[in-house]
Amino acid sequence: QVQLVESGGGLVQAGGDLRLSCAASGSFFSFNSMGWYRQAPGKQRELVATIISGGYTSYADTVKGRFTIFRDNAKNMMYLQMNNLIPEDTAVYYCHARVYGLNYWGQGTQVTVSS
């Protein structure tokens, strides 16, 4: 059974930084890919960043150069370092993992960026 628990959200002023964490249970090395998604009020959930086996990463154009996704396999943790936040980054952020063809989601953590 895979469980994902996010933490690290909060309220920050524009230009500030936050680091989101995702604690994963289960066999971490079997996670084919992991990523962060976000959903703003009235909008569809969108992909923010992904990291796959081997450490390859990809980012949405809107966060490139500002956000960094990385994993700590020894701790079964995944992170999203968010720098230079803008109000448009305000959303609920979700941790995602794909394991043997199945999708798993965390409960989400709210990030609010004030102008």
Side-chain angles (χ1 to χ4, degrees), residues 36-115:
W36 290 94
Y37 287 71
R38 67 185 182 187
Q39 188 166 17
K43 294 187 177 181
Q44 290 189 328
R45 191 172 297 188
E46 63 176 1
L47 177 63
V48 176
T50 58
I51 184 166
I52 62 174
S53 300
Y56 297 103
T57 60
S58 63
Y59 298 91
D61 288 343
T62 52
V63 305
K64 277 181 183 177
R66 299 188 297 120
F67 291 10
T68 303
I69 186 172
F70 58 102
R71 286 169 59 163
D72 185 337
N73 291 334
K75 297 182 178 179
N76 278 21
M77 295 289 294
M78 181 180 67
Y79 304 93
L80 184 69
Q81 178 66 41
M82 306 185 295
N83 296 334
N84 193 22
L85 285 158
I86 60 177
E88 289 75 16
D89 294 321
T90 296
V92 177
Y93 284 70
Y94 297 90
C95 175
H96 169 263
R98 188 164 179 84
V99 185
Y100 298 128
L102 298 178
N103 293 304
Y104 296 90
W105 297 92
Q107 82 287 351
T109 185
Q110 176 70 46
V111 172
T112 303
V113 184
S114 63
S115 57

Side-chain angles (χ1 to χ4, degrees), residues 2 26-33 53 71 98-100:
V2 175
S27 179
F28 203 62
F29 288 100
S30 67
F31 288 22
N32 307 110
S33 68
S53 300
R71 286 169 59 163
R98 188 164 179 84
V99 185
Y100 298 128

